[in-house]
Amino acid sequence: MAKSNPLAIRSFLSTFVLLFVLQFHVSVSLESPTTESVYVPFLQCLINQTNSVDEVSNIVYAQTNASYTSVLRAYIRNAAFNTTSTPKPLIIVTPLKEFHVQASVICAKSIGIQIKIRSGGHDFAGISYISDEPFIILDMFNLRNITVDIENETAFIQAGATLGELYYRIWEKSKVHAFPAGVCPTVGVGGHIGGGGYGNMMRKYGLASDHIIDVQIVDVNGRLLSKESMEEDLFWAIRGGERASFGVIVSYTVRLVPVPEKVTVFMVQRFLEDNATDFVFQWQQAAPRTDDRLFMRLQLQPVNSKVNRGQLTIRAYILALFLGGADELVSLLGKEFPLLGLTKENCTEMSWIDSVLWWASFPNGTSPEALLDRHLNSAKFLRRKSDYVQYPISKDGFEWIWKKMIELEIIDLALNPYGGRMNEIPADSTAFPHRAGNLFMIHYSANWHDPSADADKIYTTQIRRLYSYMTLFVSKNPRSAFLNYRDLDIGINDFGNNSYEQGEVYGVKYFNDNFYRLVKVKTAVDPENFFRNEQSIPIFPNKE
């Protein structure tokens, strides 16, 4: 066992004894819990469950702990939630072992305190680390073990690992294996895969959640379940519908996918002044229907025009990954996307791991070890929204969109093509429903650095306005949204008498008809709705 810090242990024991004595003099009210009223019973319970004062002292942070603030801030990715006025957890628990997670769930439930679960902190709405009611954070960042088995083409990944760490560990073992997940290396595995997890190989291989072959989850009773020991419906639900609604994901076992020794990437851009509208219209025709080895993300930004000084224009640029060589790609797109004008000089052939670095905007030649860096230089203020497009947008429609984007000035769009494997997987095969019938998904993005309330109001208003303007072009009944781009504007649950109805508002947007099966599963596995957040799956209302 690692040597403990005697001063830390003595400090812990002194605090514990003091608070334990206070129990005899202070009436503990769970109607309005405080750190003082929660810390002692929670800590006592953890010690009883784990039989170790030493271990507990190293994983529990009260607000009075000197490391509390640094632990809390380490995985806040949205600077809007890193302010003095942001609601703070009464306690942060950083489990080192599976049974720490089990004990934390048992103890939080025993004292009636809400628990939030954080793996990487990239939930844009901060749902994993803020709440309007007293709460505890279960921060999974210490549970980050990854075991890659190339012989069986699988990987075991604990929920606190990042995508960058996963990609690096795969690369260590094989240069021709990969995993189809997101392009941001600091995203935590737990939430990413549980909410579906798309990336630049989804047209070839589907989502990250489509490759789950086993999972460990701690349920509301503190049991550590696997695929073998859980109900089939729960295993269905956690593949694309699990964002802390059913339990605490501890690990995934996933199936790896093959990639060629060399892949090809390119970036090509156009502006309105050089025919961007026709360029984008032809992208819309080609990107969802082309070879499924090719993924072409289209980014749209209002920028200063170099032709008409003092005016804004639209920059349209494509970032692409092709699981093949440059010659084949140039030939393919010469036929299917001639306005792209792709040449071999536009393309760069590289290993898959180098393409991961390229997509994450690392300079050429960066070592793969960079993927092991878990921390961002700084968090940005941000807002996000999402949409699905099911019918082609006309050229006139795009011209109208350009006008609105220029009018608003500050909102970017990323268009991510579907098709390929995404068309082949039935919408109800997992909880993730957005499959055939979608041409592409839109990701709305607003980023800023000004911490003032005025800046927040401006950017929030602008992204909402563009989202409203886009109503004509996107999916309807429901207007669908992507779970991992959390958007509290589409509905919030306060878990009152109308909890089910409130949950249905956002639930059908994230899950379409799969929402109703998710509610059935939720009601069966967590009937008291212990695992909840502002957009969790509700339970069926009590019929009594």
Side-chain angles (χ1 to χ4, degrees), residues 499-515:
S499 176
Y500 174 79
E501 290 78 10
Q502 290 176 333
E504 189 176 29
V505 171
Y506 57 81
V508 296
K509 295 172 184 175
Y510 286 135
F511 302 110
N512 297 358
D513 289 341
N514 288 349
F515 168 74

Side-chain angles (χ1 to χ4, degrees), residues 79-147:
F81 305 125
N82 197 15
T83 67
T84 55
S85 61
T86 302
K88 306 294 192 298
L90 302 179
I91 299 171
I92 304 171
V93 186
T94 59
L96 296 166
K97 301 172 184 176
E98 288 88 344
F99 69 81
H100 292 153
V101 179
Q102 295 175 268
S104 297
V105 170
I106 291 169
C107 294
K109 185 181 178 186
S110 72
I111 63 174
I113 192 76
Q114 186 186 23
I115 194 167
K116 293 276 188 166
I117 305 154
R118 181 168 75 171
S119 61
H122 277 270
D123 55 329
F124 301 127
I127 283 178
S128 66
Y129 50 86
I130 61 172
S131 178
D132 289 333
E133 62 179 286
F135 69 107
I136 293 171
I137 287 181
L138 189 60
D139 202 320
M140 306 292 284
F141 68 86
N142 282 323
L143 288 171
R144 63 175 81 169
N145 291 334
I146 299 170
T147 303

Side-chain angles (χ1 to χ4, degrees), residues 259-266 291 293-294 320-333 342-351:
V259 291
E261 290 186 5
K262 293 292 182 181
V263 303
T264 304
V265 299
F266 71 81
D291 190 304
R293 293 173 294 164
L294 175 60
L321 171 70
F322 179 61
L323 301 177
D327 288 333
E328 183 182 6
L329 178 59
V330 169
S331 175
L332 173 71
L333 290 180
L342 190 69
T343 66
K344 192 169 182 181
E345 288 68 33
N346 300 134
C347 302
T348 304
E349 292 183 338
M350 58 180 62
S351 65

Side-chain angles (χ1 to χ4, degrees), residues 162-267:
T162 65
L163 295 180
E165 290 169 339
L166 172 60
Y167 298 154
Y168 180 84
R169 298 304 173 197
I170 295 171
W171 169 78
E172 278 188 315
K173 295 292 185 70
S174 171
K175 305 304 182 276
V176 291
H177 285 83
F179 186 68
V183 301
C184 180
T186 58
V187 167
V189 164
H192 180 74
I193 298 180
Y198 83 93
N200 56 19
M201 292 192 290
M202 72 173 181
R203 300 190 65 256
K204 175 64 175 177
Y205 292 118
L207 306 175
S209 60
D210 295 329
H211 295 264
I212 298 172
I213 55 179
D214 203 354
V215 65
Q216 288 182 311
I217 184 172
V218 174
D219 74 357
V220 71
N221 298 310
R223 298 179 300 170
L224 184 64
L225 304 177
S226 66
K227 179 184 178 183
E228 184 177 350
S229 57
M230 72 177 67
E231 293 293 330
E232 181 180 343
D233 273 359
L234 180 56
F235 186 64
W236 172 87
I238 60 181
R239 289 176 291 158
E242 173 47 48
R243 289 300 301 267
S245 285
F246 303 98
V248 183
I249 297 292
V250 176
S251 69
Y252 296 104
T253 301
V254 299
R255 183 175 55 252
L256 303 180
V257 300
V259 291
E261 290 186 5
K262 293 292 182 181
V263 303
T264 304
V265 299
F266 71 81
M267 194 280 280

Side-chain angles (χ1 to χ4, degrees), residues 203 283-290 296 417-420 423 438-440:
R203 300 190 65 256
W283 169 89
Q284 178 185 233
Q285 295 173 313
R289 298 182 176 90
T290 189
M296 295 187 288
Y418 267 49
N423 282 351
N438 292 295
L439 297 176
F440 53 90

